[in-house]
Amino acid sequence: MAGRRRCHLVYAVAPDGMSAADANDRLNEYISDRRRGLIVFHDHFTGRPHGGLAIWDVSTDEERELLDDPGPLAGWDVRVHALTFALAATGFAAQMEFTVEQYGGKTMLRLQDEEEEDERFWWRRG
């Protein structure tokens, strides 16, 4: 896979009947396996369906193959997609900034300055 490094999106939906807490635990277990590559981003869904998504920086064939191995997500609907512009973790961050600027008309610094106070915003805690 030399020269084929790329970020991949993993979209995972838990089976009906699984609690949100169990789904969150299973997704966290899946993303904790460093053999799948470098985890760049993840988040969990609110409401239903339970599940979440993750972005991986994958640099070997073995890492890419492990994305398809559901491990703790056995029985889930798991989809894996290679991303076009995010060729590495730094490319994912650059693509996010590009999208905010080009399509949102703002910069990340401006967003930070405009952000309201909200106790849920964990990233603002010192």
Side-chain angles (χ1 to χ4, degrees):
M1 189 164 172
R4 307 249 344 241
R5 183 175 178 185
R6 185 172 300 276
C7 287
H8 290 72
L9 173 129
V10 175
Y11 177 87
V13 176
D16 289 339
M18 181 175 284
S19 73
D22 286 343
N24 290 351
D25 289 346
R26 296 268 185 100
L27 182 66
N28 287 341
E29 184 179 347
Y30 177 85
I31 67 168
S32 295
D33 187 343
R34 293 183 178 183
R35 297 174 305 146
R36 290 187 169 91
L38 173 66
I39 186 69
V40 175
F41 172 86
H42 91 285
D43 207 341
H44 305 268
F45 303 150
T46 62
R48 294 194 187 275
H50 300 311
L53 66 101
I55 304 291
W56 295 87
D57 181 337
V58 174
S59 57
T60 69
D61 289 331
E62 292 78 18
E63 291 171 349
R64 172 60 190 93
E65 289 170 10
L66 279 170
L67 292 181
D68 288 326
D69 176 357
L73 305 182
W76 289 41
D77 179 9
V78 177
R79 313 267 174 112
V80 179
H81 300 278
L83 300 178
T84 299
F85 299 115
L87 299 176
T90 52
F92 179 79
Q95 182 67 15
M96 183 186 68
E97 289 180 1
F98 172 83
T99 302
V100 167
E101 290 176 17
Q102 294 299 309
Y103 297 96
K106 303 211 178 192
T107 65
M108 293 302 289
L109 286 175
R110 183 171 167 198
L111 288 176
Q112 185 177 14
D113 289 343
E114 293 175 350
E115 201 166 71
E116 69 275 12
E117 292 293 327
D118 189 319
E119 65 186 29
R120 297 171 303 144
F121 292 179
W122 57 267
W123 57 92
R124 298 188 65 150
R125 296 181 200 140

